[in-house]
Amino acid sequence: MPDNSSLVNSVLDQLSAAGHKKVVFCNDPDTGLKAIIAVHDTTLGPALGGTRMWSYVSEAEALEDVLRLSRGMTYKAAITGLNIGGGKAVIIGDSRKGKSEAMMRSYGRFIRNMNGEFITAEDLGTTTKDMEYIRMETEHVTGVPESLGGAGNPAPHTAKGVFLGIKACVKEVFGTDMLAGRSVVVQGIGNVGEHLVELLRAENVEVYISDINEERLQHVARTYKAKPIAADKIFGIDADIYAPCALGATVNDRTIPKMKFAIIAGSANNQLADEQVHGKLLLDKGILFAPDYLINAGGLISCYSELTGYGKKRTIQLTENIYNATRDVIRMSKKDNISTIWAANRIAEQRIIDIKKIKSSF
């Protein structure tokens, strides 16, 4: 028999490195399901995180992604004051042709067997309809259609949080949070990106858009009078703000030297290829970075509100807090001369430490 001990050690080492609590591997040959669920931290409550479906090159890449994303969810919940922990899940496959009701319901059964430790919602490659299928097998899912009593699509709330994060950064850089006359490059115009374009154009912002889907790119350009650009032109544009709303790691060694932006603020997760290295590079270059897990928290807030029975009014109130939370991060960054991502991490980690003390005293 092959010796798999080194592989097991590698996985456990990755869990230990970021302080993960648990990883569950899901495999169902009958439906084609191959999924990984990562629970990072449950100090503040059960782990809540979306399920992403993506054609990963390898299972190792999928594991790396789910570990990084789940850690981000812990910090996102902590910094926005929610009583929820951090988790995430990925399904390995092509969401355009690999999904089925049977697959999603099988996945729902894996979630059910975690006994409430993990609660899921939609993410890249999954929809409210998928959440409806999962709900047939477990109650531990949010973001189901409003017709079933859920909060529906969280994307508008995510976009609103990013919009408020942009305003908070514009206030810091330009002295006012008025957006009229500013210019923004939105990379990725999926569900969240399109909502963000709509909000920006309503404020008379000059918006450049880029997306791998040419048909969608032209549709959004016509609908909102935005300016379509090729992907390879993004970092050469002299715009005020770069809003990455697709996949992560677009802020890296190759792109930062090209940037003329004053601000980076978008909905994509893990925008910095390396938090420490690239957070510091942006600080040194004078580019203000809005921590992604903070300003894209509107979707999580919507799901949290569904879980707790809060109405839309409370969801809006909690999402609006993103503006002041972003300002707090910027103030700490300036005071301590540290990158904004490290300032945000400090605030999130301190809340987890404080709550852990309370829970351990009873």
Side-chain angles (χ1 to χ4, degrees), residues 299-320:
L300 176 65
I301 291 169
S302 175
C303 293
Y304 177 73
S305 294
E306 181 180 325
L307 283 175
T308 54
Y310 294 155
K312 288 187 176 180
K313 186 175 181 180
R314 180 58 174 161
T315 300
I316 292 169
Q317 288 175 337
L318 289 170
T319 303
E320 287 176 344

Side-chain angles (χ1 to χ4, degrees), residues 147-176:
S147 59
L148 295 178
N153 185 1
H157 300 289
T158 303
K160 185 59 182 291
V162 173
F163 177 75
L164 293 168
I166 289 174
K167 287 178 74 74
C169 291
V170 167
K171 170 72 172 176
E172 177 65 26
V173 174
F174 300 106
T176 173

Side-chain angles (χ1 to χ4, degrees), residues 14 36 56 59-69 270:
Q14 287 184 70
I36 308 173
Y56 291 97
E59 292 174 10
E61 182 186 58
L63 177 62
E64 182 181 2
D65 198 32
V66 77
L67 291 178
R68 195 174 185 198
L69 289 167
N270 302 319

Side-chain angles (χ1 to χ4, degrees), residues 220-289:
V220 172
R222 288 192 303 271
T223 303
Y224 303 104
K225 295 182 171 59
K227 300 177 180 180
I229 57 172
D232 60 356
K233 304 294 183 185
I234 290 173
F235 301 105
I237 291 181
D238 191 8
D240 296 317
I241 302 150
Y242 167 49
C245 297
L247 295 177
T250 61
V251 182
N252 52 52
D253 290 334
R254 181 180 58 83
T255 59
I256 291 175
K258 301 177 183 177
M259 291 182 179
K260 304 172 187 175
F261 312 114
I263 295 165
I264 298 174
S267 66
N269 289 306
N270 302 319
Q271 293 165 28
L272 305 181
D274 184 298
E275 282 188 0
Q276 185 169 1
V277 172
H278 300 120
K280 182 65 162 56
L281 278 176
L282 293 177
L283 180 67
D284 293 343
K285 192 168 181 177
I287 298 175
L288 180 57
F289 174 68

Side-chain angles (χ1 to χ4, degrees), residues 2-3 19 42 44 70 135 165 195 210 235 240 290 310 325 328 335 353 361:
D3 181 8
T42 55
L44 302 177
S70 56
R135 174 61 68 88
H195 281 292
S210 178
F235 301 105
D240 296 317
Y310 294 155
D328 289 342
K335 179 175 72 72
I353 290 168
S361 62

Side-chain angles (χ1 to χ4, degrees), residues 97-112:
K97 56 186 179 183
K99 275 193 298 184
S100 67
E101 175 186 348
M103 174 188 282
M104 301 313 294
R105 292 182 67 171
S106 173
Y107 173 58
R109 285 174 169 259
F110 280 99
I111 294 174
R112 184 184 67 188

